Amino acid sequence: MDITIIGTGNMARGIATRALAGGNAVTLLGTAKEKAEALAQELDGDVRAGQVGDPLTGDVVVLAVWYQAVSDVVARYGDQLEGKVVVDISNPVDPETYAPLTVQAGSVAQEIANAVPAAKVVKAFNTTFAGTLIEGQVAGQPLDVFVASDDEHAKRVVAELAEGGGLRAIDVGPLALAHQIEGLGYVNMAIQPALGTNYGSAIKVIA
């Protein structure tokens, strides 16, 4: 796959690492091209760098940004997102207090879908932490990636992306359930102080 990741932070690094491990091509877009270039130099594989505002070349676009930046990115790219698989990884929290925020649309993913109805929006990767994505596992177990979308093809694409990088994709259902996945992501964040894992834990389904 040809994947564009918007963002150059820790989650962008983690998702790019998994995508490249699966043999995909990755383009990193940063607010400054220098940030994207610096991250690209640290990664192995078919990886390129650019700046936010550059045309979107990938069929899959990962919004690896905080919730507060999502609307700006969506507004900037607008029609370019139409027909593309758009992966929302965000959790709606206050970046200073980490308190959960209420999203009128029900979830960040649904907010994006409302703004760009022709995009194939998928909720995924919001329950996984950056460090665990880089490793691809916790305690010898592959990470579970919970995937929700109204587009079945888009879900399969994101599942292939996750599984190609050594993770396990779990189909949660339609995009309406992105609200519950965001809640699960918040729970995983909230339990970190008590666990003392420094964001090194993972939520795993065992059957």
Side-chain angles (χ1 to χ4, degrees), residues 16-54:
T17 299
R18 290 299 102 214
L20 292 166
N24 301 292
V26 171
T27 299
L28 298 165
L29 299 182
T31 52
K33 188 176 181 180
E34 293 77 12
K35 292 182 179 179
E37 289 174 338
L39 177 55
Q41 290 173 3
E42 297 175 16
L43 299 171
D44 296 322
D46 185 359
V47 56
R48 299 174 293 278
Q51 188 168 357
V52 174
D54 290 350

mmCIF file of all heavy atoms in Angstrom, residues 16-54:
data_model
loop_
_atom_site.group_PDB
_atom_site.id
_atom_site.type_symbol
_atom_site.label_atom_id
_atom_site.label_comp_id
_atom_site.label_asym_id
_atom_site.label_seq_id
_atom_site.Cartn_x
_atom_site.Cartn_y
_atom_site.Cartn_z
ATOM 1 N N ALA A 16 4.027 4.339 11.394
ATOM 2 C CA ALA A 16 4.939 4.239 10.256
ATOM 3 C C ALA A 16 5.836 3.008 10.395
ATOM 4 O O ALA A 16 6.091 2.293 9.417
ATOM 5 C CB ALA A 16 5.783 5.503 10.144
ATOM 6 N N THR A 17 6.293 2.738 11.610
ATOM 7 C CA THR A 17 7.140 1.568 11.848
ATOM 8 C C THR A 17 6.419 0.284 11.476
ATOM 9 O O THR A 17 6.971 -0.601 10.817
ATOM 10 C CB THR A 17 7.580 1.516 13.323
ATOM 11 O OG1 THR A 17 8.341 2.689 13.634
ATOM 12 C CG2 THR A 17 8.427 0.285 13.610
ATOM 13 N N ARG A 18 5.154 0.157 11.892
ATOM 14 C CA ARG A 18 4.380 -1.037 11.558
ATOM 15 C C ARG A 18 4.089 -1.113 10.062
ATOM 16 O O ARG A 18 4.145 -2.195 9.452
ATOM 17 C CB ARG A 18 3.058 -1.037 12.337
ATOM 18 C CG ARG A 18 3.163 -1.275 13.830
ATOM 19 C CD ARG A 18 3.768 -2.622 14.157
ATOM 20 N NE ARG A 18 5.164 -2.495 14.550
ATOM 21 C CZ ARG A 18 6.108 -3.375 14.305
ATOM 22 N NH1 ARG A 18 5.847 -4.476 13.644
ATOM 23 N NH2 ARG A 18 7.343 -3.180 14.707
ATOM 24 N N ALA A 19 3.748 0.025 9.461
ATOM 25 C CA ALA A 19 3.433 0.043 8.031
ATOM 26 C C ALA A 19 4.651 -0.358 7.204
ATOM 27 O O ALA A 19 4.547 -1.138 6.251
ATOM 28 C CB ALA A 19 2.950 1.429 7.615
ATOM 29 N N LEU A 20 5.808 0.162 7.573
ATOM 30 C CA LEU A 20 7.035 -0.167 6.847
ATOM 31 C C LEU A 20 7.433 -1.624 7.071
ATOM 32 O O LEU A 20 7.950 -2.278 6.159
ATOM 33 C CB LEU A 20 8.160 0.770 7.282
ATOM 34 C CG LEU A 20 7.978 2.234 6.855
ATOM 35 C CD1 LEU A 20 8.944 3.133 7.610
ATOM 36 C CD2 LEU A 20 8.170 2.383 5.349
ATOM 37 N N ALA A 21 7.173 -2.141 8.273
ATOM 38 C CA ALA A 21 7.471 -3.549 8.551
ATOM 39 C C ALA A 21 6.647 -4.464 7.655
ATOM 40 O O ALA A 21 7.066 -5.587 7.349
ATOM 41 C CB ALA A 21 7.191 -3.861 10.023
ATOM 42 N N GLY A 22 5.476 -3.966 7.234
ATOM 43 C CA GLY A 22 4.622 -4.754 6.347
ATOM 44 C C GLY A 22 4.941 -4.562 4.875
ATOM 45 O O GLY A 22 4.208 -5.058 4.011
ATOM 46 N N GLY A 23 6.014 -3.819 4.585
ATOM 47 C CA GLY A 23 6.424 -3.647 3.198
ATOM 48 C C GLY A 23 5.689 -2.560 2.452
ATOM 49 O O GLY A 23 5.742 -2.495 1.211
ATOM 50 N N ASN A 24 4.996 -1.686 3.171
ATOM 51 C CA ASN A 24 4.257 -0.604 2.530
ATOM 52 C C ASN A 24 5.149 0.608 2.301
ATOM 53 O O ASN A 24 6.186 0.771 2.938
ATOM 54 C CB ASN A 24 3.068 -0.193 3.408
ATOM 55 C CG ASN A 24 2.125 -1.346 3.670
ATOM 56 O OD1 ASN A 24 1.449 -1.825 2.775
ATOM 57 N ND2 ASN A 24 2.089 -1.808 4.905
ATOM 58 N N ALA A 25 4.719 1.488 1.394
ATOM 59 C CA ALA A 25 5.393 2.759 1.171
ATOM 60 C C ALA A 25 4.720 3.807 2.053
ATOM 61 O O ALA A 25 3.489 3.831 2.168
ATOM 62 C CB ALA A 25 5.298 3.169 -0.292
ATOM 63 N N VAL A 26 5.516 4.661 2.690
ATOM 64 C CA VAL A 26 4.979 5.640 3.627
ATOM 65 C C VAL A 26 5.470 7.042 3.269
ATOM 66 O O VAL A 26 6.666 7.244 3.011
ATOM 67 C CB VAL A 26 5.400 5.317 5.079
ATOM 68 C CG1 VAL A 26 5.018 6.450 6.029
ATOM 69 C CG2 VAL A 26 4.762 4.010 5.539
ATOM 70 N N THR A 27 4.554 7.996 3.258
ATOM 71 C CA THR A 27 4.896 9.409 3.127
ATOM 72 C C THR A 27 4.495 10.109 4.409
ATOM 73 O O THR A 27 3.335 10.032 4.832
ATOM 74 C CB THR A 27 4.172 10.066 1.938
ATOM 75 O OG1 THR A 27 4.561 9.412 0.734
ATOM 76 C CG2 THR A 27 4.533 11.548 1.838
ATOM 77 N N LEU A 28 5.456 10.773 5.042
ATOM 78 C CA LEU A 28 5.201 11.513 6.277
ATOM 79 C C LEU A 28 5.045 12.985 5.956
ATOM 80 O O LEU A 28 5.906 13.578 5.291
ATOM 81 C CB LEU A 28 6.369 11.327 7.245
ATOM 82 C CG LEU A 28 6.653 9.899 7.728
ATOM 83 C CD1 LEU A 28 8.033 9.835 8.357
ATOM 84 C CD2 LEU A 28 5.591 9.457 8.721
ATOM 85 N N LEU A 29 3.963 13.591 6.434
ATOM 86 C CA LEU A 29 3.746 15.020 6.244
ATOM 87 C C LEU A 29 3.752 15.708 7.605
ATOM 88 O O LEU A 29 2.961 15.356 8.478
ATOM 89 C CB LEU A 29 2.415 15.283 5.536
ATOM 90 C CG LEU A 29 2.248 14.686 4.129
ATOM 91 C CD1 LEU A 29 0.895 15.085 3.553
ATOM 92 C CD2 LEU A 29 3.377 15.128 3.203
ATOM 93 N N GLY A 30 4.659 16.667 7.780
ATOM 94 C CA GLY A 30 4.755 17.389 9.040
ATOM 95 C C GLY A 30 4.400 18.845 8.888
ATOM 96 O O GLY A 30 4.359 19.375 7.766
ATOM 97 N N THR A 31 4.144 19.517 10.003
ATOM 98 C CA THR A 31 3.879 20.957 9.944
ATOM 99 C C THR A 31 5.100 21.685 9.402
ATOM 100 O O THR A 31 4.979 22.745 8.787
ATOM 101 C CB THR A 31 3.526 21.498 11.339
ATOM 102 O OG1 THR A 31 4.547 21.080 12.276
ATOM 103 C CG2 THR A 31 2.178 20.955 11.804
ATOM 104 N N ALA A 32 6.273 21.121 9.634
ATOM 105 C CA ALA A 32 7.509 21.590 9.015
ATOM 106 C C ALA A 32 8.143 20.396 8.315
ATOM 107 O O ALA A 32 8.231 19.312 8.894
ATOM 108 C CB ALA A 32 8.461 22.170 10.054
ATOM 109 N N LYS A 33 8.582 20.586 7.082
ATOM 110 C CA LYS A 33 9.155 19.474 6.324
ATOM 111 C C LYS A 33 10.373 18.902 7.040
ATOM 112 O O LYS A 33 10.635 17.695 6.972
ATOM 113 C CB LYS A 33 9.531 19.933 4.926
ATOM 114 C CG LYS A 33 9.961 18.791 4.013
ATOM 115 C CD LYS A 33 10.227 19.255 2.594
ATOM 116 C CE LYS A 33 10.622 18.076 1.696
ATOM 117 N NZ LYS A 33 10.878 18.513 0.303
ATOM 118 N N GLU A 34 11.108 19.760 7.758
ATOM 119 C CA GLU A 34 12.302 19.298 8.454
ATOM 120 C C GLU A 34 11.968 18.223 9.489
ATOM 121 O O GLU A 34 12.733 17.277 9.681
ATOM 122 C CB GLU A 34 13.014 20.467 9.137
ATOM 123 C CG GLU A 34 13.608 21.486 8.176
ATOM 124 C CD GLU A 34 12.577 22.428 7.572
ATOM 125 O OE1 GLU A 34 11.426 22.440 8.085
ATOM 126 O OE2 GLU A 34 12.903 23.128 6.606
ATOM 127 N N LYS A 35 10.817 18.374 10.165
ATOM 128 C CA LYS A 35 10.401 17.363 11.144
ATOM 129 C C LYS A 35 10.142 16.024 10.465
ATOM 130 O O LYS A 35 10.538 14.972 10.962
ATOM 131 C CB LYS A 35 9.139 17.824 11.885
ATOM 132 C CG LYS A 35 9.329 19.016 12.801
ATOM 133 C CD LYS A 35 8.021 19.342 13.500
ATOM 134 C CE LYS A 35 8.168 20.526 14.446
ATOM 135 N NZ LYS A 35 6.887 20.852 15.118
ATOM 136 N N ALA A 36 9.457 16.082 9.336
ATOM 137 C CA ALA A 36 9.149 14.847 8.608
ATOM 138 C C ALA A 36 10.429 14.201 8.085
ATOM 139 O O ALA A 36 10.583 12.974 8.134
ATOM 140 C CB ALA A 36 8.188 15.154 7.460
ATOM 141 N N GLU A 37 11.339 15.010 7.600
ATOM 142 C CA GLU A 37 12.600 14.476 7.085
ATOM 143 C C GLU A 37 13.419 13.824 8.200
ATOM 144 O O GLU A 37 14.028 12.774 8.003
ATOM 145 C CB GLU A 37 13.401 15.590 6.418
ATOM 146 C CG GLU A 37 12.803 16.048 5.096
ATOM 147 C CD GLU A 37 13.539 17.244 4.518
ATOM 148 O OE1 GLU A 37 14.209 17.960 5.305
ATOM 149 O OE2 GLU A 37 13.419 17.468 3.296
ATOM 150 N N ALA A 38 13.424 14.458 9.372
ATOM 151 C CA ALA A 38 14.180 13.910 10.497
ATOM 152 C C ALA A 38 13.630 12.552 10.912
ATOM 153 O O ALA A 38 14.384 11.606 11.184
ATOM 154 C CB ALA A 38 14.151 14.881 11.668
ATOM 155 N N LEU A 39 12.293 12.439 10.960
ATOM 156 C CA LEU A 39 11.686 11.164 11.326
ATOM 157 C C LEU A 39 11.937 10.128 10.246
ATOM 158 O O LEU A 39 12.262 8.966 10.546
ATOM 159 C CB LEU A 39 10.179 11.342 11.558
ATOM 160 C CG LEU A 39 9.389 10.073 11.883
ATOM 161 C CD1 LEU A 39 9.974 9.347 13.078
ATOM 162 C CD2 LEU A 39 7.917 10.414 12.129
ATOM 163 N N ALA A 40 11.818 10.517 9.000
ATOM 164 C CA ALA A 40 12.022 9.579 7.896
ATOM 165 C C ALA A 40 13.423 8.980 7.930
ATOM 166 O O ALA A 40 13.612 7.796 7.628
ATOM 167 C CB ALA A 40 11.771 10.279 6.564
ATOM 168 N N GLN A 41 14.400 9.779 8.307
ATOM 169 C CA GLN A 41 15.781 9.304 8.361
ATOM 170 C C GLN A 41 15.995 8.254 9.447
ATOM 171 O O GLN A 41 16.948 7.470 9.375
ATOM 172 C CB GLN A 41 16.730 10.480 8.573
ATOM 173 C CG GLN A 41 16.844 11.395 7.362
ATOM 174 C CD GLN A 41 17.651 12.649 7.640
ATOM 175 O OE1 GLN A 41 18.188 12.836 8.738
ATOM 176 N NE2 GLN A 41 17.747 13.526 6.653
ATOM 177 N N GLU A 42 15.111 8.242 10.429
ATOM 178 C CA GLU A 42 15.242 7.283 11.526
ATOM 179 C C GLU A 42 14.525 5.965 11.241
ATOM 180 O O GLU A 42 14.648 5.020 12.020
ATOM 181 C CB GLU A 42 14.687 7.898 12.814
ATOM 182 C CG GLU A 42 15.441 9.133 13.279
ATOM 183 C CD GLU A 42 14.789 9.790 14.481
ATOM 184 O OE1 GLU A 42 13.950 9.119 15.127
ATOM 185 O OE2 GLU A 42 15.107 10.951 14.779
ATOM 186 N N LEU A 43 13.776 5.906 10.147
ATOM 187 C CA LEU A 43 12.981 4.723 9.831
ATOM 188 C C LEU A 43 13.608 3.948 8.683
ATOM 189 O O LEU A 43 14.307 4.510 7.842
ATOM 190 C CB LEU A 43 11.551 5.138 9.468
ATOM 191 C CG LEU A 43 10.773 5.878 10.564
ATOM 192 C CD1 LEU A 43 9.465 6.423 10.006
ATOM 193 C CD2 LEU A 43 10.511 4.975 11.752
ATOM 194 N N ASP A 44 13.316 2.658 8.639
ATOM 195 C CA ASP A 44 13.835 1.791 7.586
ATOM 196 C C ASP A 44 12.719 1.434 6.614
ATOM 197 O O ASP A 44 11.615 1.068 7.033
ATOM 198 C CB ASP A 44 14.414 0.502 8.182
ATOM 199 C CG ASP A 44 15.616 0.770 9.078
ATOM 200 O OD1 ASP A 44 16.412 1.663 8.732
ATOM 201 O OD2 ASP A 44 15.740 0.093 10.117
ATOM 202 N N GLY A 45 13.020 1.541 5.330
ATOM 203 C CA GLY A 45 12.041 1.153 4.330
ATOM 204 C C GLY A 45 11.764 2.258 3.335
ATOM 205 O O GLY A 45 12.492 3.250 3.251
ATOM 206 N N ASP A 46 10.702 2.083 2.572
ATOM 207 C CA ASP A 46 10.309 3.027 1.525
ATOM 208 C C ASP A 46 9.545 4.182 2.163
ATOM 209 O O ASP A 46 8.319 4.164 2.246
ATOM 210 C CB ASP A 46 9.447 2.297 0.489
ATOM 211 C CG ASP A 46 9.094 3.186 -0.704
ATOM 212 O OD1 ASP A 46 9.506 4.364 -0.722
ATOM 213 O OD2 ASP A 46 8.391 2.700 -1.606
ATOM 214 N N VAL A 47 10.273 5.175 2.648
ATOM 215 C CA VAL A 47 9.649 6.281 3.367
ATOM 216 C C VAL A 47 10.098 7.611 2.782
ATOM 217 O O VAL A 47 11.286 7.819 2.500
ATOM 218 C CB VAL A 47 9.966 6.204 4.886
ATOM 219 C CG1 VAL A 47 11.462 6.175 5.143
ATOM 220 C CG2 VAL A 47 9.309 7.351 5.650
ATOM 221 N N ARG A 48 9.135 8.509 2.586
ATOM 222 C CA ARG A 48 9.395 9.835 2.040
ATOM 223 C C ARG A 48 8.872 10.883 3.014
ATOM 224 O O ARG A 48 8.099 10.567 3.919
ATOM 225 C CB ARG A 48 8.724 9.986 0.672
ATOM 226 C CG ARG A 48 9.248 8.991 -0.360
ATOM 227 C CD ARG A 48 8.460 9.059 -1.659
ATOM 228 N NE ARG A 48 7.077 8.605 -1.491
ATOM 229 C CZ ARG A 48 6.712 7.338 -1.503
ATOM 230 N NH1 ARG A 48 7.614 6.388 -1.640
ATOM 231 N NH2 ARG A 48 5.446 7.017 -1.369
ATOM 232 N N ALA A 49 9.278 12.133 2.806
ATOM 233 C CA ALA A 49 8.886 13.207 3.719
ATOM 234 C C ALA A 49 8.353 14.403 2.937
ATOM 235 O O ALA A 49 8.786 14.673 1.811
ATOM 236 C CB ALA A 49 10.076 13.626 4.583
ATOM 237 N N GLY A 50 7.417 15.104 3.554
ATOM 238 C CA GLY A 50 6.861 16.311 2.952
ATOM 239 C C GLY A 50 6.285 17.199 4.024
ATOM 240 O O GLY A 50 6.514 16.998 5.218
ATOM 241 N N GLN A 51 5.513 18.169 3.609
ATOM 242 C CA GLN A 51 4.932 19.153 4.523
ATOM 243 C C GLN A 51 3.420 19.125 4.417
ATOM 244 O O GLN A 51 2.865 18.895 3.331
ATOM 245 C CB GLN A 51 5.461 20.547 4.193
ATOM 246 C CG GLN A 51 5.071 21.616 5.193
ATOM 247 C CD GLN A 51 5.857 22.897 4.984
ATOM 248 O OE1 GLN A 51 6.733 22.975 4.132
ATOM 249 N NE2 GLN A 51 5.550 23.908 5.779
ATOM 250 N N VAL A 52 2.754 19.361 5.531
ATOM 251 C CA VAL A 52 1.296 19.443 5.512
ATOM 252 C C VAL A 52 0.889 20.531 4.524
ATOM 253 O O VAL A 52 1.389 21.662 4.581
ATOM 254 C CB VAL A 52 0.746 19.757 6.914
ATOM 255 C CG1 VAL A 52 -0.764 19.992 6.846
ATOM 256 C CG2 VAL A 52 1.062 18.626 7.871
ATOM 257 N N GLY A 53 0.012 20.177 3.611
ATOM 258 C CA GLY A 53 -0.357 21.066 2.521
ATOM 259 C C GLY A 53 0.045 20.476 1.182
ATOM 260 O O GLY A 53 -0.544 20.804 0.147
ATOM 261 N N ASP A 54 1.050 19.578 1.197
ATOM 262 C CA ASP A 54 1.422 18.861 -0.024
ATOM 263 C C ASP A 54 0.249 17.995 -0.473
ATOM 264 O O ASP A 54 -0.539 17.527 0.363
ATOM 265 C CB ASP A 54 2.638 17.958 0.226
ATOM 266 C CG ASP A 54 3.923 18.737 0.450
ATOM 267 O OD1 ASP A 54 3.909 19.965 0.231
ATOM 268 O OD2 ASP A 54 4.929 18.108 0.834
#
